[in-house]
């Protein structure tokens, strides 16, 4: 998608603080962090919302979770806990329409989130 913010970050057209990357995904610091650790994991493939995930995308989406767990472990959050969340559409808080998994950690996280 030529107008997608996250595709532009993926392609290096917009700078981001990249903290993890591999052939399937890219992860970077959120510009408006809601916790001391707030990292966004995006698939390299453009998928607009969770509603657009197909059976062929299952490995890619699962990989986002394993990559997030790996980074949480590297940063020492696995013992105390962390949250991973993916918002779908505007009412759920999705503002960029390229799926992304939020990794939040480094402080107690309340439930429900609000």
């Amino acid at each position: 998608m030529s107008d997608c913010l996250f595709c532009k970050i993926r392609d290096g057209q917009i700078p981001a603080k990249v903290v993890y990357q591999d052939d399937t995904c890219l992860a970077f610091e959120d510009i408006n962090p809601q916790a001391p650790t707030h990292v966004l994991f995006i698939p390299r493939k453009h998928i607009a919302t969770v509603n657009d995930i197909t059976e062929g995308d299952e490995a890619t989406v699962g990989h986002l979770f394993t990559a997030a767990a790996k980074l949480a472990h590297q940063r020492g959050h696995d013992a105390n806990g962390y949250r991973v969340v993916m918002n779908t559409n505007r009412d759920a808080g999705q503002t960029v329409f390229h799926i992304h998994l939020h990794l939040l950690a480094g402080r107690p996280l309340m439930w429900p989130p609000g």
Side-chain angles (χ1 to χ4, degrees):
M1 299 281 303
S2 62
D3 62 341
C4 173
L5 174 68
F6 288 170
C7 286
K8 289 178 180 179
I9 290 172
R10 175 200 66 201
D11 296 342
Q13 297 171 354
I14 295 176
K17 185 176 177 188
V18 174
V19 296
Y20 178 87
Q21 61 182 315
D22 58 33
D23 292 341
T24 304
C25 74
L26 177 73
F28 49 90
E29 300 285 346
D30 193 295
I31 62 169
N32 185 25
Q34 301 299 304
T37 292
H38 189 168
V39 176
L40 304 178
F41 288 78
I42 66 166
R44 291 193 180 271
K45 175 185 177 184
H46 180 86
I47 304 169
T49 74
V50 171
N51 296 329
D52 301 302
I53 296 169
T54 67
E55 288 182 13
D57 299 320
E58 290 175 357
T60 297
V61 174
H63 183 78
L64 298 177
F65 283 86
T66 57
K70 180 178 181 179
L71 186 66
H73 174 74
Q74 289 173 350
R75 292 191 174 187
H77 298 303
D78 53 330
N80 288 336
Y82 57 93
R83 180 172 292 159
V84 289
V85 64
M86 192 176 292
N87 301 321
T88 305
N89 285 325
R90 282 179 175 72
D91 282 355
Q94 185 177 8
T95 57
V96 177
F97 288 84
H98 182 129
I99 63 169
H100 49 287
L101 185 69
H102 295 258
L103 167 64
L104 299 130
R107 69 169 176 81
L109 300 166
M110 302 288 117
W111 194 260

